[in-house]
């Protein structure tokens, strides 16, 4: 079967829990090989959407397709095409890495003759070969995340879905996981849900922002900035008084404002942020004016991109009441860890597609002979 251009197609997806529209008519498409960031405040509907994509929850209405096939219509097919790493990545702590992947290869129905090769490749891709005989419970969190990713890519799926893959990791581990995810670009379509915005920006080709179950922004980081950021910012390192700086700016355009300015250092320089509404570029004029000024000394000038955080906040603006109630009450707990409906062709060992397995004890594999 050939893979269509869009490996993920979501059309008017809706999921209702009682009175809550957790997902409220979202539509999007993702091209093969792209890495997509899925962003939204707590309770926005990210996990619910991911669960529907993996076949774990059924949509109330609408269609989700993976590789052109409806998730609801053919969950068994979907199970083979998706690798899922859920939030907190639950793993059997008493197993060794290789034992676990062997067990998972069986659950994923990788043909017996291909399992060894698939495990070797997953171990290699996730730089786990040297840790293959280690007990998972004794690994660092970063290594455990790598085991989760190795599991997700084991069956060479078309789509990988990861919920908060770098949460709780130290900066070194974050870089390793980021590089690992980036290495999947072009090979697999990856959806990452995360609250770590710089992370998403560095890794993703496309970002989808949802709020209250609806898509409120979608595109590349540059496209999102273009849509949600209505001002241009420059950062200048300057020695001289704020008054002189303001007077110089007024000769260029009256709306150019000193948005903030740091304390002056011992060398007399301060860092000032200069802002103007709109997208017109004043960089060259600023540079010429400040460089020519008799009482101001300028040692650097650069245009400053708005952080993704500003885009996120603009797209998902919520009232204090909403934020407060989330803090006080917390979101409604997620669905119990079982599918909405039993799905066809599923054995008790495979309750959801590529689910994070806690292997039931009778199936717990024996250590591999060395
Ligand atoms: N099983 C459930 N029963 C009732 N309500 C649910 C259930 N699962 C999710 N919800 C509600 O649906 C909404 C969306 O939840 P969801 O977990 O998808 O959000 P999220 O964007 O993943 O949030 P977070 O970032 O906090 O994980 C929330 O209001 C949540 O309380």
């Amino acid at each position: 079967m050939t893979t269509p251009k869009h490996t993920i197609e979501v059309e008017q997806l809706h999921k209702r829990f009682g009175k809550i529209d957790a997902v409220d008519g979202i539509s999007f498409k993702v091209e093969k090989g792209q890495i997509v960031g899925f962003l939204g405040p707590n309770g926005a509907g990210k996990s619910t959407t991911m669960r529907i994509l993996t076949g774990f929850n059924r949509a109330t209405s609408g269609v989700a397709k993976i590789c052109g096939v409806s998730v609801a219509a053919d969950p068994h097919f979907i199970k083979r095409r998706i690798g899922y790493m859920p939030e907190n990545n639950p793993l059997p702590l008493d197993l060794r890495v290789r034992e676990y992947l062997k067990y998972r290869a069986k659950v994923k129905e990788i043909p017996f003759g291909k399992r060894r090769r698939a495990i070797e490749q997953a171990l290699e891709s996730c730089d786990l070969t040297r840790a293959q005989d280690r007990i998972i419970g004794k690994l660092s969190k970063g290594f455990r995340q790598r085991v989760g990713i190795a599991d997700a890519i084991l069956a060479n799926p078309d789509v990988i879905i990861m919920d908060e893959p770098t949460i709780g990791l130290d900066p070194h581990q974050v870089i390793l996981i980021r590089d690992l995810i980036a290495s999947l670009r072009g090979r697999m379509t990856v959806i990452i849900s995360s609250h770590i915005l710089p992370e998403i920006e560095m890794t993703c080709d496309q970002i989808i922002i949802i709020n209250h179950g609806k898509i409120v922004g979608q595109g590349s980081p540059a496209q999102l900035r273009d849509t949600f950021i209505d001002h241009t910012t420059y950062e200048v390192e300057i020695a001289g008084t704020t008054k002189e700086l303001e007077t110089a700016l007024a000769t260029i355009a009256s709306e150019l404002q000193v948005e903030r300015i740091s304390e002056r250092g011992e060398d007399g320089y301060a860092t000032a942020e200069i802002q103007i509404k709109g997208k017109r570029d004043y960089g060259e004029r600023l540079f010429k004016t400040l460089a020519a000024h008799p009482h101001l000394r300028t040692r650097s000038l650069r245009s400053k991109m708005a952080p993704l955080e500003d885009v996120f906040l603009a797209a998902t603006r919520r009232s204090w009441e909403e934020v407060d109630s989330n803090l006080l009450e917390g979101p409604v707990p997620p669905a119990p860890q079982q599918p909405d409906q039993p799905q066809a062709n599923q054995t008790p060992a495979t309750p959801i597609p590529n689910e994070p397995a806690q292997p039931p004890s009778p199936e717990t594999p024996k250590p591999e002979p060395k």
Side-chain angles (χ1 to χ4, degrees):
M1 180 174 176
T2 55
T3 308
K5 182 177 173 211
H6 294 103
T7 29
I8 304 175
E9 292 166 88
V10 170
E11 189 69 37
Q12 282 302 312
L13 204 66
H14 202 115
K15 177 71 183 178
R16 179 168 263 267
F17 291 113
K19 289 183 179 162
I20 297 171
D21 290 306
V23 176
D24 195 2
I26 68 174
S27 304
F28 64 88
K29 289 181 181 179
V30 182
E31 277 182 33
K32 186 173 183 299
Q34 273 202 332
I35 303 183
V36 178
F38 212 49
L39 300 183
N42 292 125
K46 304 180 293 293
S47 300
T48 306
T49 306
M50 290 190 172
R51 286 201 184 119
I52 294 171
L53 283 175
T54 56
F56 184 59
N57 277 164
R58 269 178 192 275
T60 308
S61 62
V63 181
K65 287 184 185 172
I66 302 291
C67 302
V69 175
S70 158
V71 176
D74 196 345
H76 198 65
F77 170 86
I78 299 307
K79 183 181 114 182
R80 292 160 182 271
R81 294 295 188 111
I82 285 193
Y84 179 41
M85 189 168 99
E87 198 172 355
N88 301 323
N89 184 22
L91 294 167
L93 301 181
D94 54 335
L95 288 190
R96 293 174 197 278
V97 173
R98 193 183 182 95
E99 288 168 10
Y100 173 61
L101 291 179
K102 229 176 130 184
Y103 166 76
R104 295 295 294 152
K106 190 174 160 199
V107 169
K108 287 166 193 262
E109 298 172 15
I110 298 174
F112 185 77
K114 294 187 175 168
R115 284 184 202 163
R116 180 177 284 268
R117 182 81 198 111
I119 293 169
E120 302 291 341
Q121 276 176 344
L123 286 168
E124 205 176 296
S125 299
C126 298
D127 197 13
L128 279 170
T129 309
R130 67 207 150 101
Q132 60 181 302
D133 295 321
R134 302 267 304 274
I135 293 186
I136 293 173
K138 298 209 167 139
L139 294 175
S140 68
K141 189 154 189 331
F143 264 93
R144 287 189 211 172
Q145 290 300 82
R146 284 197 242 169
V147 175
I149 297 176
D151 170 32
I153 66 175
L154 190 58
N156 197 24
D158 298 275
V159 176
I160 304 270
I161 296 184
M162 299 182 189
D163 213 346
E164 299 284 357
T166 56
I167 200 159
L169 299 186
D170 72 44
H172 295 287
Q173 301 275 19
V174 167
I175 292 170
L176 289 172
I177 297 294
R178 187 200 303 152
D179 290 348
L180 175 50
I181 294 171
S183 74
L184 303 176
R185 178 177 278 108
R187 270 202 288 155
M188 298 172 184
T189 305
V190 184
I191 295 200
I192 307 169
S193 156
S194 176
H195 287 115
I196 308 172
L197 302 183
E199 205 44 53
I200 287 287
E201 169 139 39
M202 271 184 258
T203 320
C204 298
D205 308 302
Q206 205 199 141
I207 296 172
I208 297 171
I209 306 178
I210 68 171
N211 195 23
H212 295 303
K214 291 182 174 6
I215 292 183
V216 292
Q218 185 171 2
S220 66
Q223 287 166 334
L224 287 171
R225 276 196 183 87
D226 207 42
T227 308
F228 290 101
I229 303 297
D230 64 350
H231 56 261
T232 308
T233 306
Y234 300 92
E235 194 176 87
V236 59
E237 279 187 293
I238 199 145
T241 66
T242 308
K243 182 115 190 61
E244 276 165 330
L245 175 59
E246 283 171 343
T247 313
L249 297 181
T251 64
I252 304 170
S254 57
E255 302 86 6
L256 268 172
Q257 300 287 338
V258 179
E259 187 62 19
R260 59 178 68 89
I261 187 157
S262 71
E263 290 284 316
R264 267 165 235 296
E266 281 177 9
D267 55 6
Y269 278 91
T271 304
E273 222 175 80
I274 296 165
Q275 223 171 67
I276 186 155
K277 278 244 176 251
K279 297 189 174 145
R280 192 167 152 203
D281 186 11
Y282 285 89
E284 194 177 334
R285 287 177 67 192
L286 259 174
F287 181 76
K288 283 187 178 152
T289 306
L290 296 180
H293 197 283
H295 306 302
L296 292 170
R297 284 177 294 135
T298 306
R299 71 177 174 196
S300 75
L301 169 72
R302 68 181 184 101
S303 66
K304 198 177 165 199
M305 241 176 7
L308 189 58
E309 190 180 21
D310 288 1
V311 172
F312 178 84
L313 291 172
T316 61
R317 212 161 279 294
R318 288 187 165 194
S319 68
W320 278 112
E321 289 74 21
E322 283 177 90
V323 176
D324 277 352
S325 74
N326 236 339
L327 279 178
L328 292 172
E329 293 159 21
V332 177
Q337 296 296 298
Q338 48 184 286
D340 284 353
Q341 315 233 339
Q343 292 171 345
N345 300 324
Q346 285 186 338
T347 64
T350 56
I352 57 165
N354 293 338
E355 87 289 19
Q358 297 288 359
S361 40
E363 295 225 23
T364 300
K366 301 211 165 29
E368 270 189 346
K370 295 258 157 67

